[in-house]
């Protein structure tokens, strides 16, 4: 039994093994920062839940076998001196496994079944499969033996505590094969005409087509492009539950949601090669826009949260999306985006402006996406420069869209609103050498050593040249060998793993790099791009990174980091060719 590797190898300790469209993965990560000894089938329906523990077993002793795990797109393997087990996705809800020289156990991860939690297990005489039903996911997981035999079935129909699961072993030919399906209520008994090798090749082909679409420009100068594409591809789920369209989760670890600014970076990375999927990413949160025009904080399978919002970078993102798409959007598509962006902008101009105020405010750092940034230390209900800048950019995009849609009066209105917002930004928050934040209640002002105060650089060509130059100089002070620290490393508030109080983040990097480039500071933009790309090529696609060591922090398979790498790498490749 051979299975030649194909595609970039990766550690399942860092990146879960999954496939495009699937709501489950195979990983040792079973909860936030929680790593199990065995790999598990982990579902993201109704939240993140480890459902099945998957264990290669020594045939003679029936104890857990010592194996090494190898993974490439399309194939996951447990390898021991005495044999191996391979796993591949046949479809987004079905994996096939085969083994030789090792037995294999699939056991309920939950140790106890109560009337409202845990996993019930039984043999289904209708399908001749072994079925686990999970209270946590609300789904069933069926194991069907295709070859070999069941060596042991434990906990059939048992209640309370105890082991539940099956062990498959080989018959005389020395091999075995099973299928595991995630299903809702019932489906016909499992059948398939495809061989395991055909399934592996099909999975590899699907990923190869995806990476060829999103990164046809890749070369030895962009060595992490294929792995970045895998992170995005494998974190994509089918439309299901409250996820109204095919969606790229931030991760198939514990950050298994679509947050309402993260999605913009995934949309941009997908735009040139997978335009329909890119449009879906942009619009997914807008499908849950409320009556006030606000976007939700996050969307996932069974939950939409509205207790916070996210910053209005969507006009900036949609402008770039339009330019990156291979075919121009038609009038209906432009109209839909225009109306959604207009309502989103209206939310900030009404619900988030105090009476008589010119500028809107955040109600908490979470609204900004920079949850605990030091800008919010004195107060949380704050008028900030980044918010005004993003809103002005969004109004500029609305003016452009209104012009394209032949709505000149609306275009003039949005253009004037953008100018008024930017004038208020400079009059009220620019001190002559820096931007400050102000209390929405008292008007008191303060500065910080955080990069958030410098985000008006995103205005790019709209900024007066002298202000752009001052911001560029301040941005240089945040550069470490690995990229832009979100808090000056010399600040007394700097924390190596302080979330937005020091670590390097992808979205800040992309927004700053783009703004600098549009403001004419290409050399600094090139430097920031090069350092971030090198960081990802060395340390992967973590949620954020230690600014002084480059070490990946928190969730290690974050799609907006991978997408940001793809964006910067593609732009670098195109500049090199020009």
């Amino acid at each position: 039994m051979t299975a030649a590797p194909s595609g970039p190898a990766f550690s399942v300790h860092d990146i879960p093994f999954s496939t495009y469209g699937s709501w489950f993965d195979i990983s040792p990560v079973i909860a936030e920062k929680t790593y199990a000894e065995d790999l598990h089938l982990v579902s993201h329906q109704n939240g993140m839940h480890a459902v099945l523990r998957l264990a290669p077993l020594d045939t003679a002793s029936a104890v857990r076998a010592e194996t090494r795990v190898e993974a490439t797109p399309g194939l996951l393997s447990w390898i021991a001196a005495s044999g191996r087990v391979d796993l591949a996705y046949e479809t987004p809800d079905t994996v096939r496994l085969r083994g030789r020289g090792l037995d294999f156990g699939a056991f309920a991860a939950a140790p106890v079944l109560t009337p409202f939690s845990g996993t019930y297990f039984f043999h289904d005489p209708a399908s001749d499969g072994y079925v686990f039903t999970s209270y946590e996911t609300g789904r069933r997981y069926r194991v069907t033996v295709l070859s070999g035999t069941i060596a042991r079935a434990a906990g059939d129909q048992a209640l309370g505590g105890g082991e539940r699961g099956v062990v498959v072993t080989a018959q005389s030919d020395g091999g075995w094969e099973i299928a595991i399906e995630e299903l809702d209520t019932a489906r016909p008994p499992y059948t398939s005409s495809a061989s395991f090798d055909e399934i592996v090749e099909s999975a590899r082909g699907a990923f190869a087509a995806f990476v060829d679409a999103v990164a046809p420009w890749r070369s030895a100068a962009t060595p992490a492009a294929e792995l970045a594409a895998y992170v995005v591809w494998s974190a994509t789920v089918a439309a299901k539950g409250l996820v109204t369209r095919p969606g790229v989760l931030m991760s198939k670890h514990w950050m298994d949601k679509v947050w309402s600014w993260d999605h913009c970076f995934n949309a941009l990375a997908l735009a040139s090669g997978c335009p329909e999927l890119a449009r879906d990413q942009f619009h997914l949160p807008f499908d849950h826009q409320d009556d006030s025009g606000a976007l939700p904080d996050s969307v996932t399978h069974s939950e939409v949260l509205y207790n916070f919002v996210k910053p209005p970078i969507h006009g900036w993102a949609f402008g770039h999306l339009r330019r990156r798409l291979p075919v121009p959007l038609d009038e209906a598509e432009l109209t839909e985006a225009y109306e959604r962006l207009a309502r989103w902008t209206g939310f900030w101009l009404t619900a988030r402006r105090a009476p008589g105020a010119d500028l809107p405010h955040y109600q908490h750092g979470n609204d900004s996406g920079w949850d605990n940034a030091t800008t919010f230390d004195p107060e949380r209900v704050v008028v900030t420069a980044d918010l005004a800048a993003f809103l002005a950019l969004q109004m500029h995009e609305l003016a452009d869209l209104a012009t394209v849609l032949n709505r000149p009066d609306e275009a003039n209105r949005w253009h004037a609103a953008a100018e008024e917002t930017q004038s208020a930004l400079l009059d009220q928050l620019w001190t002559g050498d820096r931007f400050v934040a102000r209390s929405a209640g008292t008007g008191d002002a303060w500065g910080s050593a955080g990069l958030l105060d410098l985000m008006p650089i995103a205005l790019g060509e709209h900024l007066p040249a002298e202000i752009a130059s001052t911001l560029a100089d301040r941005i240089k002070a945040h550069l470490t060998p690995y990229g832009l620290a979100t808090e000056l490393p010399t600040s007394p508030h700097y924390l190596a793993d302080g979330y937005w109080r020091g670590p390097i983040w992808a979205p800040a990097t992309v927004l700053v790099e783009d703004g600098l480039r549009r403001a004419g500071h290409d050399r600094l933009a090139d430097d920031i791009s090069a350092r971030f790309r090198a960081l990802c090529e060395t340390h992967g696609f973590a949620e954020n990174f230690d600014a002084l060591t480059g070490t990946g922090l928190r969730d290690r398979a974050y799609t907006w980091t991978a997408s940001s790498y793809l964006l910067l790498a593609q732009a670098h490749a195109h500049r090199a060719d020009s």
Side-chain angles (χ1 to χ4, degrees):
M1 182 172 63
T2 60
S6 177
F10 58 91
S11 167
V12 292
H13 190 269
D14 294 330
I15 300 172
F17 181 81
S18 192
T19 197
Y20 183 99
S22 182
W23 277 92
F24 69 83
D25 61 80
I26 310 298
S27 173
V29 181
I30 59 174
E32 182 175 356
K33 302 179 185 177
T34 303
Y35 293 78
E37 187 174 17
D38 288 314
L39 299 188
H40 284 63
L41 185 154
V42 182
S43 179
H44 298 274
Q45 299 195 60
N46 289 335
M48 179 187 185
H49 303 288
V51 180
L52 301 180
R53 179 173 64 88
L54 306 177
L57 304 172
D58 181 80
T59 301
S61 64
V63 301
R64 184 178 181 275
E66 291 300 318
T67 62
R68 73 177 187 276
V69 175
E70 295 183 354
T72 57
L75 183 68
L76 172 70
S77 301
W78 293 261
I79 301 171
S82 59
R84 66 184 289 154
V85 175
D86 295 319
L87 180 151
Y89 277 83
E90 182 173 14
T91 67
D93 65 13
T94 301
V95 290
R96 284 266 288 270
L97 297 94
R98 70 176 180 184
R100 184 178 295 273
L102 294 171
D103 291 351
F104 194 81
F107 305 102
V112 177
L113 175 67
T114 78
F116 302 105
S117 66
T119 303
Y120 175 59
F121 172 68
F122 65 97
H123 177 256
D124 177 17
S127 66
D128 196 28
Y130 290 84
V131 179
F132 300 83
T133 70
S134 167
Y135 273 105
E136 283 70 29
T137 70
R139 302 301 184 274
R140 298 172 179 234
Y141 303 83
R142 184 169 67 187
V143 179
T144 301
V145 178
L146 308 180
S147 65
T149 187
I150 295 296
R152 177 165 60 93
D156 184 4
Q157 303 181 53
L159 305 177
E163 182 179 83
R164 294 172 173 82
V166 294
V167 174
V168 63
T169 190
Q171 292 180 310
S172 57
D173 67 352
W176 55 264
E177 192 166 343
I178 62 173
I180 303 178
E181 305 162 89
E182 182 177 53
L183 56 119
D184 292 341
T185 303
R187 66 174 56 160
Y190 172 86
T191 60
S192 176
S193 60
S195 71
F196 187 89
D197 288 334
E198 289 170 337
I199 289 167
V200 172
E201 287 309 308
S202 177
R204 288 172 172 166
F207 171 68
F210 180 85
V211 72
D212 283 344
V214 301
W217 40 263
R218 65 193 186 280
S219 70
T222 55
E226 287 195 5
L227 189 57
Y230 177 76
V231 170
V232 175
W233 179 79
S234 64
T236 303
V237 295
K240 199 167 188 176
L242 296 170
V243 176
T244 50
R245 306 160 182 259
V248 180
L249 303 178
M250 289 312 101
S251 174
K252 280 184 181 169
H253 285 156
W254 59 87
M255 301 295 282
D256 55 351
K257 297 183 179 184
V258 177
W259 275 269
S260 292
W261 70 311
D262 311 41
H263 68 109
C264 292
F265 300 91
N266 289 333
L268 294 180
L270 292 165
S272 58
C274 299
E276 184 174 354
L277 184 61
R279 292 194 298 272
D280 283 336
Q281 298 326 295
F282 181 80
H283 281 289
L284 198 159
F286 283 94
D287 291 345
H288 297 279
Q289 193 169 23
D290 74 7
D291 292 341
S292 74
L295 296 185
D297 186 30
S298 63
V299 179
T300 191
H301 175 269
S302 303
E303 176 186 83
V304 179
L305 299 181
Y306 290 94
N307 55 323
F308 295 108
V309 292
K310 285 293 175 275
I313 67 165
H314 302 82
W316 168 86
F318 192 71
H320 280 295
L321 182 67
R322 284 200 291 149
R323 290 184 285 274
R324 294 176 64 84
L325 290 170
V327 176
L329 295 172
D330 63 28
E331 184 176 357
E333 292 169 321
L334 290 172
T335 299
E336 179 184 39
Y338 174 78
E339 292 176 350
R340 288 179 158 192
L341 285 170
R343 292 180 59 220
W344 178 219
T345 305
F347 163 80
W348 289 101
L349 296 177
T350 54
R352 290 299 182 87
R353 282 201 299 190
D358 297 311
L359 296 175
H361 58 265
Y362 293 129
Q363 295 176 342
H364 187 279
N366 288 1
D367 285 341
S368 75
W370 296 51
D371 307 4
N372 66 335
T374 52
T375 297
F376 300 99
D377 280 0
E379 294 185 24
R380 263 58 63 195
V381 182
V382 179
V383 176
T384 65
D386 69 295
L387 174 54
F390 294 146
L391 199 63
L393 283 173
Q394 189 151 289
M395 292 171 180
H396 281 301
E397 177 62 16
L398 283 165
D400 289 346
L401 287 170
T403 299
V404 172
L405 292 169
N406 196 28
R407 302 182 186 187
D409 291 344
E410 293 178 34
N412 290 335
R413 178 168 60 85
W414 286 121
H415 179 74
E419 294 299 321
E420 289 168 4
T421 299
Q422 182 164 325
S423 293
L425 165 67
L426 299 182
D427 290 344
Q428 299 174 27
L429 299 182
W430 179 251
T431 67
D433 66 349
R434 64 174 302 136
F435 282 106
V436 295
R438 290 189 181 276
S439 166
T442 67
D444 291 345
W446 60 85
S448 80
L451 186 63
L452 184 62
D453 291 1
L454 307 179
M455 292 308 293
I457 193 64
L459 282 165
E461 70 277 15
H462 301 290
L463 277 174
E466 65 276 13
I467 293 179
S469 294
T470 301
L471 292 178
D473 288 340
R474 287 186 172 274
I475 287 166
K476 287 177 189 176
H478 285 260
L479 267 179
T480 75
Y482 303 97
L484 290 170
T486 46
E487 181 80 4
L488 283 175
T490 55
S491 165
H493 304 294
Y494 176 88
L495 294 171
D497 187 11
Y499 222 50
W500 292 93
R501 302 171 77 91
I504 296 166
W505 286 80
T509 301
V510 170
L511 285 161
V512 168
E513 192 268 357
D514 174 70
L516 285 167
R517 203 173 291 285
R518 289 188 292 107
H521 293 269
D522 290 330
R523 184 174 297 179
L524 180 55
D526 287 343
D527 190 8
I528 290 168
S529 172
R531 295 189 197 204
F532 185 80
R533 286 182 282 113
L535 174 67
C536 293
E537 288 159 6
T538 304
H539 294 282
F541 305 106
E543 184 180 355
N544 51 45
F545 302 87
D546 186 311
L548 301 183
T549 68
T551 302
L553 303 171
R554 310 293 174 121
D555 194 314
R556 301 299 182 90
Y558 218 71
T559 55
W560 76 355
T561 308
S563 287
S564 295
Y565 175 84
L566 291 170
L567 285 169
L568 295 175
Q570 180 184 24
H572 171 70
H574 289 168
R575 285 194 297 272
D577 290 340
S578 62

